[in-house]
Amino acid sequence: MDYSLQQKIQEAVPLLQKSAFTTAFTGAGISVESGIPPFRGEEGLWNKYDPKYLEIGFFLSQPEEAWRVIKQIFFDFFGTASPNQAHLTLAGMERRGMLHRIITQNIDNLHQEAGSTNVFEFHGNSKKLVCLACYEEFPYGMISLDTLPPRCPHCQGLLKPDFVFFGEAIPQEPMMKAYDAAGRSDVFLIIGSTGEVMPANQIPPLARQHGAKIIEINPEESNYTQHVTDIYLKGKAGEVMKKLGEALFAPSLEDN
Ligand code: APR
């Protein structure tokens, strides 16, 4: 590991240890080492698929075609991904009182599967399907995707994955809680996000405006790195968070 990264981790550790309220803001990059491709960048999903399939207008007008692509992108390899070291370290920080909130743009449920509990899902979660006619909700595993589009077992209405499509509003509760967390954070971690998508991308700058120290983990620079980030830890989330966890959780001398 390069010296400057190790040095920056040493700079970040005391901030995290002293912080009374720490929030992690995560994007698709944190799940890449779990085998889930990001949306943008070289291996990005939007290089392979047209984002129109995730637009609510297209979904409502061409549900079968939209579902065919949604199934390929989100559900065909569903359940094969498991939390990586980055998710696990965040859960370890929460258990030690070193992390208070996670705001995630991801819908893969990996933070919860890693053991994190205070997770605000800004874009919803792909574990549930919702009926657009009677609003009944169904666990993903209960509905067969052999026939598309899937229909509601109760009223035959159109079923939609319970995550936010382009053109849909962000669910009120996670949005309010995310803004509240940003306003209270002493330290704010940004892990694996380009910062491309509104309104989620407004949260890190809001945290900075309220005085948070911003620590960013990403192998590439993002829209935050030059203008929002205070400490940029260049590297993959799983690798950097492993090192950060080792430094953070190391029994300090006073512990002996
Ligand atoms: N570790 C950390 N970051 C990584 C890794 C990794 N191993 N691999 C890639 N990244 C970074 C990329 O450099 C990029 O900055 O993850 C980011 C992925 O960017 P996006 O795919 O744009 O992900 P995100 O910012 O979460 O997208 C926001 O866009 O399509 C919508 O709703 C979707 O929630 C998503 C939103």
Side-chain angles (χ1 to χ4, degrees):
M1 174 160 158
D2 72 271
Y3 176 67
S4 72
L5 178 60
Q6 189 54 41
Q7 206 179 11
K8 287 185 180 173
I9 286 179
Q10 291 316 321
E11 212 182 308
V13 165
L15 292 178
L16 287 160
Q17 287 171 331
K18 282 201 295 282
S19 172
F21 198 96
T22 300
T23 298
F25 175 85
T26 65
I30 197 171
S31 298
V32 167
E33 288 150 276
S34 296
I36 298 181
F39 293 98
R40 296 170 189 83
E42 230 163 277
E43 305 297 313
L45 283 164
W46 298 146
N47 299 340
K48 255 175 91 181
Y49 298 97
D50 186 331
K52 78 174 181 185
Y53 292 105
L54 266 293
E55 281 168 9
I56 189 64
F58 183 88
F59 178 82
L60 295 174
S61 61
Q62 319 254 356
E64 184 176 347
E65 205 187 326
W67 255 109
R68 189 174 45 74
V69 173
I70 289 167
K71 181 173 177 295
Q72 281 174 33
I73 298 181
F74 297 104
F75 294 100
D76 278 353
F77 63 76
F78 213 93
T80 56
S82 48
N84 65 57
Q85 188 56 51
H87 299 100
L88 295 169
T89 300
L90 288 177
M93 287 173 68
E94 178 185 305
R95 278 196 299 279
R96 290 169 174 80
M98 293 178 161
L99 184 73
H100 302 84
R101 301 284 187 275
I102 292 179
I103 302 164
T104 188
Q105 299 171 87
N106 302 338
I107 58 174
D108 55 32
N109 210 55
L110 291 182
H111 286 300
Q112 293 89 331
E113 287 171 32
S116 291
T117 58
N118 270 321
V119 183
F120 304 149
E121 293 176 304
F122 212 73
H123 292 150
N125 185 308
S126 47
K127 287 281 190 192
K128 272 190 298 189
L129 304 182
V130 62
C131 174
L132 297 184
C134 69
Y135 304 109
E136 187 81 22
E137 293 181 354
F138 304 91
Y140 147 75
M142 191 183 143
I143 300 290
S144 158
L145 297 182
D146 294 341
T147 314
L148 298 177
R151 292 278 164 195
C152 172
H154 292 182
C155 75
Q156 293 310 304
L158 174 61
L159 291 180
K160 172 184 169 292
D162 192 26
F163 53 73
V164 178
F165 280 43
F166 291 117
E168 277 196 298
I170 302 298
Q172 270 295 322
E173 193 192 343
M175 182 156 74
M176 302 309 286
K177 289 185 171 177
Y179 282 110
D180 172 68
R184 298 168 63 185
S185 296
D186 304 309
V187 174
F188 195 87
L189 285 161
I190 305 173
I191 307 175
S193 182
T194 45
E196 286 286 321
V197 171
M198 298 278 289
N201 63 3
Q202 303 299 303
I203 295 178
L206 184 73
R208 181 183 176 82
Q209 281 159 25
H210 282 80
K213 275 282 180 215
I214 312 292
I215 300 168
E216 180 181 12
I217 298 172
N218 197 321
E220 313 284 331
E221 292 210 358
S222 70
N223 290 344
Y224 304 116
T225 314
Q226 293 304 324
H227 311 290
V228 175
T229 298
D230 294 302
I231 302 177
Y232 172 42
L233 304 177
K234 183 175 176 59
K236 293 182 175 179
E239 293 171 9
V240 174
M241 286 302 285
K242 184 171 186 316
K243 291 282 175 195
L244 193 63
E246 285 163 0
L248 269 178
F249 306 157
S252 55
L253 291 178
E254 18 308 5
D255 289 347
N256 301 327

